[in-house]
Amino acid sequence: MSRLGTETAFEVLAKARALEAKGRDIVHLEIGEPDFDTPPSVVSAGVAALERGETHYTPSAGVIELRDAIAAYLGARRGLSIDPTQVVVTPGAKPIMFYALLALLDAGDEAIYPDPGFPIYASMIDFAGARGVPLPLRERDDFEPDLDELRHLVTDRTKVIVLNSPHNPTGGMLSDEAIREIARHARERDLWVLSDEIYGELVYDGTHRSIMLEEGMAERTILLDGFSKTFAMTGWRLGYGVFPRTLVEPITKLVTNSVSCTATFVQRAGAAALTTRPPEVDRMLAEFRERRDAIVRGLNEVAGVTCRVPHGAFYVFPNVAGLGLRSSADVADRLLNEAGVAALAGTCFGAQGEGYLRLSYANSLPNLEKAISRIAAWSLRLAPLPTGR
């Protein structure tokens, strides 16, 4: 158990709630969760399933109607040719991560993952007994990987490359050129790719392209996705993976041995979300775009802070090194306690996150404006660091 990490967002949330219990007003920018409710038509589909008595076990891989809907949706939205039998449904998307890495990695193997990146990648690689190898993502490269560096990180022990585009925490996206080169390298070195596309529908600049579209990659890629972000269904716990045929049976066994199956009424709600794509989804995306532009503009007006424009997801990753504090963790802690703004230190996502914060703009525009105002006022009150030790 000592090999398991955690998500600091929930720890910061707990600290923020404790301050609120003492009467403090806190603006929450720490949690990566849409602040919108699940579309009413999706809720109705789940309720109708409950009223029909759909409260029993399903096949471990999911009901066929949802697997059909997922295959059709990915075909229509991302141009992927998928057989529904390749789809495995799980309670949330994290199990896909966990099951894939457990199935593919043995002790002594290596897996490459983005740094900064979602912290559960490294946690699950370690738990599987393998060695995690961080792939730096740098601001000067618009948070895209250096492909020469990636080639040098691959060894004879490398089994898996983890990709995430659009990316948490930076909001960056892989270019078509990067996807082609990573795919070519995966084919040449016989590597598996775990492609986390949970933010694939939340794109503001350009278009999302799955690495599964590249020649020969459908046979070596696990596509991870879910309903939490696109359809504002975080609490429903519904995710899925698309697997090469050779992995479907072992992954399904892991589902059977761990959670048995995903709740039936939740799967019915998910099928409704995909087959109807409620209009609230596009309205949410338009609102996120407006918020993104506002928070980037506001942050770039704060002394000591610079912020690139993210291309997808709902996070900004501002550079706060110019504030002159000791660490990103110090900045995040002081922002919470002194300015009433809950944010995450960039180092919550890996060593390359030093000098940065992650702020979620999944909050209302008035709250984002309040947060920017507080950050700006707080930055002007900062005392410079002493020059001596």
Side-chain angles (χ1 to χ4, degrees), residues 113-119 121 134-139 143 164 167-170 317 345-354 356:
Y113 65 92
D115 179 5
F118 186 49
Y121 302 143
L135 172 63
L137 304 180
R138 300 180 179 90
E139 183 179 6
F143 298 111
N164 177 212
H167 180 249
N168 174 16
T170 69
F317 202 62
T347 45
C348 296
F349 303 90
Q352 290 293 324
E354 184 55 78
Y356 298 86

Side-chain angles (χ1 to χ4, degrees), residues 31-56:
I31 289 293
E33 175 180 40
D35 58 316
F36 302 93
D37 291 331
T38 304
S41 61
V42 177
V43 175
S44 295
V47 171
L50 285 170
E51 291 176 340
R52 288 194 301 268
E54 295 196 54
T55 57
H56 303 280

Side-chain angles (χ1 to χ4, degrees), residues 24 330-343 357 359 374-375 378:
R24 291 285 304 279
D330 189 21
V331 176
D333 188 60
R334 290 186 60 176
L335 268 180
L336 176 61
N337 289 288
E338 298 173 14
V341 177
L357 295 180
L359 308 178
R374 289 181 178 185
I375 293 170
W378 170 80

Side-chain angles (χ1 to χ4, degrees), residues 303-326:
V305 177
T306 61
C307 185
R308 298 178 74 88
V309 179
H311 306 300
F314 41 64
Y315 309 110
V316 286
F317 202 62
N319 187 323
V320 294
L323 292 173
L325 297 184
R326 299 181 191 280

